Structures are given as C-alpha cells and as structure tokens.
Amino acid sequence: MPVSLTIIPELNLVHIIYSGQVTPKELFEETQACYQRPEYKPGMAEVSDFFQVTSFEIGYDEVHEFTSRSKSTHGGVDIGTDICLVGSTKVSEPAILMYEGMIAAKEIPIRLHVLPGYPEALAVLNLPEDSLKYFPEGCHTERHLL
C-alpha cells in the first residue's frame, strides 16, 4: 500500500510511510481514515517518511485540496501541529514544496519540518532516542546517529 498510517499514542504521534507510486486517492483516503480513528487526537505530531516513494502523482490541484483538508483537520488546534517530513527525494520534493507554500499561504497552524532522517525528527519533536522502538524496524537504519 502506498500510504501506511500508524498512530503511536505513547508518543502522541502519527507515523506515515509513503511508498511506491502515491496518488491523490490513497493520500486522501488514508489520511482522512486516520483522523477518524478514536485514538487520534487533534494536535498530534506527525512524522511522514518519503524514503520509499518512486513517484508522486500529485499536482497543484491535489495539493490545494489536501491543504484545505489539512486546514479543517488542524485549523482548530491552538498550539499548532508539528509535521516532520523525512527522506525528501527529487521525486517527493515538488509536492513537499507546494504543500509548504500552501500551508503558509492559507495560514494553517502547522509547523512543517523537512528533515533528512529520523534522528532529526526525534530531536525536533523533543523525543528521547528510545522512542525509535515504536517505529517499524525499517526506520531504525539511522540508529547509530542518535
């Protein structure tokens, strides 16, 4: 599946792994389903992993719609939401840049962090290094950097 979401209540965090060819259908369906789960709490931080993406079939209109949905989901959070995007590649970079620009333009209370890997995400979110145990084994490749 191109989009896999896991809620990690112990860290107050949503972990998303994108892989293969990501299309708007998967992106919209999976993220909206996550926000409907009872264990999801508004304001939870998010870590989105782009290391395995081979193509992003998402253009301006889809990013515009996605940010509109983000505004309805995150807009009521007073403190803002931290979203860490790890593993940006040439494939995912255009979509990330559009998302970043639209978040700013629509004044959505999201603090977006584009980071090279998990150690940086844990640092930004002020999580201890043993937090990595809650992430899938494939996310542990940078453990030596912690």
Side-chain angles (χ1 to χ4, degrees):
M1 169 165 278
V3 181
S4 170
L5 286 119
T6 305
I7 296 176
I8 307 172
E10 297 86 352
L11 302 178
N12 195 35
L13 181 114
V14 177
H15 182 233
I16 307 168
I17 298 177
Y18 296 90
S19 62
Q21 179 184 25
V22 180
T23 67
K25 180 179 185 281
E26 291 95 11
L27 183 66
F28 295 150
E29 288 177 1
E30 291 297 319
T31 54
Q32 290 306 304
C34 174
Y35 298 139
Q36 303 306 314
R37 293 181 194 170
E39 65 270 30
Y40 175 78
K41 305 289 183 256
M44 282 183 143
E46 296 182 17
V47 175
S48 295
D49 179 325
F50 292 97
F51 284 111
Q52 301 173 49
V53 173
T54 57
S55 71
F56 243 113
E57 304 302 318
I58 296 172
Y60 177 85
D61 291 339
E62 291 84 11
V63 173
H64 185 331
E65 182 179 348
F66 188 74
T67 54
S68 294
R69 291 179 186 207
S70 290
K71 187 167 189 168
S72 69
T73 301
H74 302 295
V77 178
D78 294 335
I79 60 168
T81 301
D82 283 301
I83 297 180
C84 297
L85 308 179
V86 298
S88 175
T89 65
K90 289 182 182 180
V91 171
S92 59
E93 187 176 27
I96 289 171
L97 290 173
M98 278 191 286
Y99 184 56
E100 189 172 34
M102 285 190 198
I103 285 172
K106 294 180 181 186
E107 299 180 357
I108 302 171
I110 291 175
R111 291 180 297 275
L112 196 64
H113 312 277
V114 181
L115 306 164
Y118 282 87
E120 293 84 0
L122 294 180
V124 164
L125 298 174
N126 199 28
L127 295 172
E129 68 180 68
D130 72 339
S131 300
L132 198 56
K133 69 183 176 192
Y134 294 102
F135 294 89
E137 191 65 34
C139 304
H140 299 192
T141 58
E142 299 174 312
R143 179 187 302 273
H144 65 284
L145 299 173
L146 292 172

